[in-house]
């Protein structure tokens, strides 16, 4: 048995996944400790065993999802030359928009203590948008060397544009609005010079 206060990764992910389901189904206003543990089918005290409170839980949920996407982005350069550039790049961009990304971000922004915790963690080097941006630029550099995107492509600017678009959609996407995944696909395709169908 793990010592008290030591987080067990499986328990953390179980609670994170439960929170995402609550957010998707009921919205940010419904998220509280009881809703998460009820959804996870675990004891009421489990969340507080692994987190200092709900603000800490929300911050760690955001940071965990950022880190997961950053790990996915780190694998991008090795995929240069495979499939469609826009599709490959879009997978990473869309990962931040899946699993309720905009809803999780809205929740964090509504809780100042969670927002501060996230900002401090990112400033201290936790993987986030900067790591994703660097990985995208490295991937585009590799694709440029292979001649699969224009030789004059400003890969650093393109990476910034992709990450900036995703960040904007995370902060502003609302239920019932235009599909954020489709919007970011259009941005990615435009940046790498690949055609897409009409926006829907």
């Amino acid at each position: 048995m793990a010592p008290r206060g030591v987080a067990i990764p499986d328990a953390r992910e179980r609670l994170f996944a439960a929170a995402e389901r609550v957010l998707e189904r009921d919205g940010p206003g419904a998220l509280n400790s009881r809703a998460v543990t009820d959804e996870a089918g675990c004891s009421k005290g489990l969340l507080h065993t692994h987190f200092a409170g709900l603000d800490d839980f929300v911050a760690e949920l955001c940071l965990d999802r950022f880190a997961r996407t950053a790990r996915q982005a780190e694998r991008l350069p090795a995929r240069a030359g495979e499939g469609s550039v826009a599709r490959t790049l879009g997978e990473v961009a869309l990962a931040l928009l899946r699993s309720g990304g905009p809803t999780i971000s809205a929740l964090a922004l509504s809780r100042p203590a969670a927002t501060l915790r996230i900002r401090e963690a990112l400033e201290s080097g936790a993987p986030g948008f900067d790591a994703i941006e660097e990985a995208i630029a490295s991937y585009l550099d590799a694709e440029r060397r292979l001649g699969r995107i224009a030789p004059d492509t400003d890969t650093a600017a393109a990476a910034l544009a992709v990450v900036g678009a995703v960040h904007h959609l995370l902060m502003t996407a609302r239920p019932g609005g235009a599909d954020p995944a489709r919007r970011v696909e259009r941005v990615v395709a435009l940046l790498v010079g690949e055609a897409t169908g009409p926006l829907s």
Side-chain angles (χ1 to χ4, degrees), residues 22-38:
V22 171
L23 289 167
E24 182 177 359
R25 184 181 63 239
D26 304 322
L31 193 83
N32 54 47
S33 300
R34 179 175 292 274
V36 172
T37 53
D38 284 351

Side-chain angles (χ1 to χ4, degrees), residues 31-50:
L31 193 83
N32 54 47
S33 300
R34 179 175 292 274
V36 172
T37 53
D38 284 351
E39 181 68 27
C42 61
S43 66
K44 308 304 180 192
L46 185 64
L47 187 147
H48 293 283
T49 297
H50 294 279

Side-chain angles (χ1 to χ4, degrees), residues 10-21:
D10 287 348
R12 285 170 57 91
E13 180 53 36
R14 182 178 177 184
L15 292 168
F16 289 160
E20 289 177 329
R21 293 193 297 273

Side-chain angles (χ1 to χ4, degrees), residues 69-88:
T69 305
R71 289 192 297 272
Q72 182 179 344
E74 287 172 358
R75 298 191 289 270
L76 272 174
R79 297 178 61 187
E82 300 176 3
S84 160
V85 175
R87 185 181 300 276
T88 301

Side-chain angles (χ1 to χ4, degrees), residues 53-146:
L54 190 59
D55 285 326
D56 184 51
F57 174 77
V58 169
E60 289 296 325
L61 170 59
C62 287
L63 290 166
D64 180 85
R65 285 359 189 188
F66 286 159
R68 185 170 65 179
T69 305
R71 289 192 297 272
Q72 182 179 344
E74 287 172 358
R75 298 191 289 270
L76 272 174
R79 297 178 61 187
E82 300 176 3
S84 160
V85 175
R87 185 181 300 276
T88 301
L89 187 54
E91 288 175 8
V92 172
L94 295 177
L96 279 168
L97 297 171
R98 296 186 184 116
S99 299
T103 306
I104 294 171
S105 296
L107 174 66
L109 288 172
S110 73
R111 305 185 70 90
T115 301
L116 178 61
R117 168 80 177 82
I118 293 167
R119 182 181 301 116
E120 289 175 345
L122 293 174
E123 289 174 351
S124 296
F129 288 110
D130 287 347
I132 296 167
E133 182 182 337
E134 290 172 7
I136 289 173
S138 294
Y139 166 70
L140 291 174
D141 285 339
E143 292 288 18
R144 185 175 59 186
R145 287 192 294 272
L146 292 173

